[in-house]
Amino acid sequence: MISVSRSHFQRCGNRDRLYHSQRRSSAAGVVVRCCGRGRGDGKVRGVAMESTLKEIRGDKPSVLDMDPESTVGGGVEDVYGEDRATEEQLVTPWTLSVASGYTLLRDPHHNKGLAFTEKERDAHYLRGLLPPVCITQGLQEKKILHNLRQYQVPLQRYMALMDLQERNERLFYKLLIDNVEELLPIVYTPTVGEACQKYGCIFRHPQGLYLSLKEKGKILEVLKNWPERSIQVIVVTDGERILGLGDLGCQGMGIPVGKLSLYTALGGVRPSACLPITIDVGTNNEQLLKDEFYIGLRQRRATGQEYAEFLHEFMCAVKQNYGEKVLIQFEDFANHNAFELLSKYGTTHLVFNDDIQGTASVVLAGLVAALKLVGGTLAEHTFLFLGAGEAGTGIAELIALEMSKQTKAPLEETRKKIWLVDSKGLIVRSRKESLQHFKKPWAHEHEPVSNLLDAVKAIKPTVLIGSSGVGKTFTKEVVEAMASFNEKPIILALSNPTSQSECTAEEAYRWSKGRAIFASGSPFDPVELNGKVFVPGQANNAYIFPGLGLGLVISGAIRVHDDMLLAACVQVSFGEIICYIYHEACLASIWGAELRKFKIVHLVLVEIPIMLP
């Protein structure tokens, strides 16, 4: 909480506010002297002003050039050097630190609402600005939760939570941490998908940083507009492939905002250390381009060299502004860009793609847990994927890596246990020349198969994984075929949101006569069948990225390695939402030659069985 004495405001001539600085403005203005730390640290910055007209005049004479001892007209000598001490300090003239009074109640970082105590109300000039009652944060939480439960439409709950975050950040995170199971589907999938679709209509407060093509050539300058200087985690999207909903352009900001809320609630990362960013290079969504409420650039997407140059400027600017150890999480980029960005910057930046690596980690963790029910090792099972994009190939690669690690077999051999089906059918060697580069490792020797049902009958997989983004593709015939040659078929319908899921939990259990081991990307309610209640698992990336991100930040890692993902999978397979994880987290030297292991510091907040009916 910010605390400022009355005498300080009397000296400054403004009791209600004070300005603090972080860098010198390029425009003419005032130089501000700072004491203490910035808003993110909750301390007060004192102020004193001096003219910067010397910069405007250039070489012309200025009173600032005069000998202080020879000033005329009663000038006062700068005995203690207070004026000169601020000449070289960095200034952000528009940044506001709330100190007390009415403006304190409008600052979400420090506002406590009716939870301000009597003593705090006196200290911060809040008398009369609040009703007389003082209540606890616990009672505030109870009231907000009661009000949320009155809404019948999930999007209304989402909007209410975002409004709470904008007026009382502490209460928002307290509510989310204490009720994570209930509120996770609101701030994250599936509700966040609908929020992104309607983001232009429900937009109230800007959240995060928007970098559009208008800022090309000055991204570093724009990054410095963000008031917090100590950033540890960035979640960035270009909005081209939001969940299974396609190109939502600038309206994809809901994804970085939601992800970073979970970094704080589940991973314990300070909110002020998190930065959501949306890169707006246009959209190919005709409906959005014609929507009068659309908040992004009204142009077709930039591609090719223009896109690559803009992203490269962004990556360089982030590293220059925030340092080597800032974690950049790529989110919901289209396949053709996702793999390219991860490959290009994986060796130069601390980057992590949640769609490729996060999804792969949580699915592998679920498979490890499921093996306790079906028996055998990973290498003894056969896997068939519907969908060969970034999620599907990412999962497949991590499964192959783990099999290789367990059996000591070459990676090329373990890949042969994994088959992928894309929009043109089973990926086989005869199609290799026409395949995108990330699909080629999965082109095995087999006759062409045109559809999923025939592929299931031909390959006879023990595990069926859907990552296609197309709903209702695990038909009754497909599920029945899986159940015909598996006692306990493992069926994962991972596409988000719920409307895009390959099948529902009820369909999987009913069509397999209750024998399927099922998990989905978005949550489904328990299913009652033949007198038994089946609780579907959820292969939710929230089981991975908050803990993995915190481990990367605290361990001081500068690169993400596969061993880190595999170590995280081992922990999640015990059915835990990981909030603090160091288990075998690797700290790599700049050359990636030295790996040191950290002992686990493991705090389990919520235990949820994954994929166990």
Side-chain angles (χ1 to χ4, degrees), residues 313-583:
E313 181 188 352
F314 165 73
M315 295 298 292
C316 293
V318 165
K319 194 171 183 179
Q320 182 177 346
N321 200 47
Y322 299 120
E324 180 86 9
K325 296 180 181 179
V326 62
L327 172 61
I328 304 171
Q329 178 173 317
F330 294 125
E331 196 67 44
D332 288 346
F333 284 76
N335 293 337
H336 55 279
N337 291 322
F339 288 101
E340 178 67 25
L341 291 172
L342 188 60
S343 173
K344 182 176 182 179
Y345 297 106
T347 57
T348 60
H349 293 66
L350 184 65
V351 296
F352 169 71
N353 188 302
D354 192 41
D355 303 299
I356 298 174
Q357 297 163 297
T359 302
S361 299
V362 76
V363 171
L364 176 56
L367 292 173
V368 172
L371 292 181
K372 299 173 184 178
L373 293 178
V374 300
T377 64
L378 282 174
E380 295 171 348
H381 288 268
T382 303
F383 303 84
L384 179 64
F385 286 77
L386 176 62
E390 52 193 295
T393 55
I395 299 167
E397 185 69 9
L398 199 62
I399 293 173
L401 280 170
E402 180 63 16
M403 282 196 289
S404 177
K405 182 179 177 181
Q406 291 179 1
T407 63
K408 309 300 181 184
L411 184 61
E412 291 74 14
E413 287 299 315
T414 57
R415 283 175 176 161
K416 293 179 180 179
K417 300 288 292 182
I418 303 170
W419 298 80
L420 278 68
V421 173
D422 64 8
S423 59
K424 297 180 180 179
L426 189 67
I427 294 179
V428 293
R429 187 160 298 173
S430 60
R431 293 178 51 196
K432 193 168 186 178
E433 294 304 318
S434 62
L435 293 172
Q436 294 167 286
H437 67 90
F438 55 86
K439 295 181 182 180
K440 289 183 178 181
W442 312 104
H444 307 316
E445 193 64 52
H446 197 282
E447 61 183 18
V449 178
S450 61
N451 60 72
L452 176 62
L453 179 58
D454 290 341
V456 168
K457 292 178 179 178
I459 303 300
K460 290 184 170 49
T462 53
V463 181
L464 178 63
I465 300 175
S467 60
S468 62
V470 181
K472 306 299 181 184
T473 45
F474 287 177
T475 61
K476 180 179 180 181
E477 291 76 17
V478 168
V479 174
E480 287 179 342
M482 284 290 296
S484 67
F485 46 78
N486 290 296
E487 179 63 28
K488 293 180 179 179
I490 299 175
I491 299 175
L492 311 183
L494 303 179
S495 295
N496 290 316
T498 309
S499 60
Q500 304 303 114
S501 182
E502 283 77 10
C503 69
T504 67
E506 182 182 2
E507 289 169 343
Y509 291 130
R510 181 157 42 87
W511 293 337
S512 67
K513 297 185 167 95
R515 292 189 282 119
I517 299 175
F518 176 82
S520 57
S522 293
F524 283 102
D525 293 331
V527 176
E528 185 174 354
L529 182 68
N530 299 327
K532 295 182 179 180
V533 176
F534 297 86
V535 181
Q538 186 182 358
N540 194 319
N541 290 16
Y543 295 152
I544 284 286
F545 69 79
L548 179 64
L550 184 68
L552 292 169
V553 168
I554 297 183
S555 67
I558 59 175
R559 301 292 180 268
V560 177
H561 298 272
D562 290 334
D563 285 344
M564 301 176 183
L565 303 176
L566 295 175
C569 295
V570 171
Q571 296 307 310
V572 180
S573 68
F574 289 105
E576 300 158 341
I577 290 182
I578 293 183
C579 295
Y580 297 94
I581 172 175
Y582 287 134
H583 183 59

Side-chain angles (χ1 to χ4, degrees), residues 261-332:
S261 296
L262 298 180
Y263 262 107
T264 296
L266 302 181
V269 181
R270 291 180 296 110
S272 61
C274 299
L275 174 55
I277 295 179
T278 290
I279 293 177
D280 187 359
V281 294
T283 179
N284 294 333
N285 187 324
E286 294 294 340
Q287 185 177 352
L288 290 180
L289 290 174
K290 297 176 183 178
D291 186 353
E292 62 179 329
F293 299 125
Y294 179 56
I295 61 175
L297 291 178
R298 295 180 184 275
Q299 66 177 60
R300 307 288 294 182
R301 277 191 173 273
T303 58
Q305 185 175 353
E306 183 181 11
Y307 180 89
E309 289 176 352
F310 191 72
L311 265 293
H312 186 69
E313 181 188 352
F314 165 73
M315 295 298 292
C316 293
V318 165
K319 194 171 183 179
Q320 182 177 346
N321 200 47
Y322 299 120
E324 180 86 9
K325 296 180 181 179
V326 62
L327 172 61
I328 304 171
Q329 178 173 317
F330 294 125
E331 196 67 44
D332 288 346

Side-chain angles (χ1 to χ4, degrees), residues 62 82 107 167 303 320 457 497 564 596:
S62 167
E82 292 179 329
D107 182 0
R167 69 175 185 269
T303 58
Q320 182 177 346
K457 292 178 179 178
M564 301 176 183
R596 292 185 292 172

